[in-house]
Amino acid sequence: LSVSEDDLILQYMEAHGSITPAQAAEQPIGCLALHSAISRLRKRPGIVDIDCQIRSGNGKRWGEYSIVRVAYG
């Protein structure tokens, strides 16, 4: 049974609290378009909200995504 990229991202956020594009690009996730995966996850039933905080450093900016709340039914 294969785990989808979106599932790996969700599992990472649940385990670590948040995820950045650099973290998502690493293996085993290997996601190079985190914003697209987050968009799909926001449409999933049970995901109440995913927040994005803009971070910066070394002249760069990136989004750090975290789950605000997951509805378990």
Side-chain angles (χ1 to χ4, degrees), residues 19-42:
I19 192 167
T20 65
Q23 292 165 330
E26 294 174 1
Q27 294 300 326
I29 300 173
C31 176
L32 299 179
L34 180 59
H35 60 284
S36 296
I38 293 296
S39 179
R40 291 189 302 270
L41 285 170
R42 284 180 170 145

Side-chain angles (χ1 to χ4, degrees), residues 4-69:
S4 74
E5 182 178 89
D6 293 355
D7 289 331
L8 290 172
I9 291 166
L10 185 58
Q11 289 170 7
Y12 189 95
M13 286 193 293
E14 289 172 337
H16 301 278
S18 64
I19 192 167
T20 65
Q23 292 165 330
E26 294 174 1
Q27 294 300 326
I29 300 173
C31 176
L32 299 179
L34 180 59
H35 60 284
S36 296
I38 293 296
S39 179
R40 291 189 302 270
L41 285 170
R42 284 180 170 145
K43 295 175 185 172
R44 260 197 198 181
I47 304 293
V48 175
D49 194 17
I50 296 175
D51 186 45
C52 179
Q53 295 292 319
I54 302 300
R55 305 287 186 208
S56 61
N58 297 327
K60 298 178 183 174
R61 292 171 32 127
W62 63 91
E64 181 175 8
Y65 298 92
S66 58
I67 299 172
V68 175
R69 190 172 52 148

